[in-house]
Amino acid sequence: MKFYEIPGLSQEHMETWFHHVLAPDSARLSEGLIAKMQPSFVSCHFLEGESVMAFDVLDWELNPQDMIHGGITSTGFDTALGMLCHYYAYPYTLTTVNLSTTFLAPIRLGDTMFFHSKIKSFGRSLVTVEGEVFVKSTGKLAATATGTFKIMHHKVKEERTEEQK
């Protein structure tokens, strides 16, 4: 079975899911590094296994050369590629096995990074995704990545209410 043949999934469902998990008030993004990076949903293509997320470059993300720290770009890739995998693997959890990032151009404060993710292979337990980052100011490619994720086949825990935290 191909990833886009999973019962219950569709373009409309995918768009709704991304809007829900990336909403500022989402329990998944209420705290931690990903919340601090403030990702936003741009688009997705269900049949192609693609998504685009945006991250504005923030002051705290800069290195001493006033460019975005490479670890932030890598975290953006881990988030964008991982969320795309998670959509198709749900309700199972997954974890990053490998993430290889290549930096091609500096990314500066005030710019917006667009993370384009595309599934390259989707097996029973491993998913490989490729990603590219384009910057809004120039439209140029600034970084690429390839990530491999393992589907753990443990179901995702339901989101906890405030009373359960």
Side-chain angles (χ1 to χ4, degrees):
M1 176 183 296
K2 303 216 181 272
F3 62 85
Y4 54 80
E5 295 173 340
I6 298 170
L9 303 185
S10 66
Q11 179 69 30
E12 181 181 6
H13 184 268
M14 187 180 195
E15 290 174 10
T16 301
W17 184 85
F18 266 101
H19 281 291
H20 173 72
V21 299
L22 291 174
D25 61 348
S26 167
R28 288 191 175 106
L29 295 181
S30 63
E31 54 189 52
L33 181 59
I34 297 170
K36 195 170 181 182
M37 290 175 64
Q38 303 172 5
S40 61
F41 171 75
V42 176
S43 66
C44 62
H45 193 287
F46 173 73
L47 290 176
E48 298 296 324
E50 297 177 350
S51 66
V52 179
M53 292 172 55
F55 294 81
D56 291 330
V57 178
L58 306 171
D59 186 55
W60 68 269
E61 299 170 328
L62 301 180
N63 65 22
Q65 290 82 36
D66 283 334
M67 295 179 285
I68 196 162
H69 189 283
I72 296 296
T73 305
S74 294
T75 299
F77 273 124
D78 197 32
T79 301
L81 276 59
M83 283 192 169
L84 180 62
C85 291
H86 184 73
Y87 172 73
Y88 291 100
Y90 189 85
Y92 301 111
T93 61
L94 52 86
T95 189
T96 307
V97 174
N98 184 50
L99 181 66
S100 175
T101 304
T102 302
F103 304 97
L104 304 170
I107 303 170
R108 304 204 183 275
L109 181 64
D111 218 330
T112 300
M113 301 177 288
F114 290 95
F115 286 79
H116 294 248
S117 305
K118 181 171 178 59
I119 293 177
K120 297 313 277 181
S121 69
F122 195 97
R124 192 177 67 75
S125 61
L126 291 176
V127 183
T128 301
V129 185
E130 291 181 348
E132 298 177 318
V133 169
F134 294 88
V135 291
K136 185 176 182 177
S137 64
T138 64
K140 291 186 179 180
L141 182 64
T144 62
T146 300
T148 302
F149 299 83
K150 178 162 180 57
I151 300 171
M152 303 301 289
H153 297 287
H154 300 285
K155 294 210 175 185
V156 173
K157 293 180 182 177
E158 294 298 319
E159 293 181 2
R160 296 181 291 171
T161 64
E162 286 299 316
E163 296 168 351
Q164 294 171 324
K165 288 183 180 180

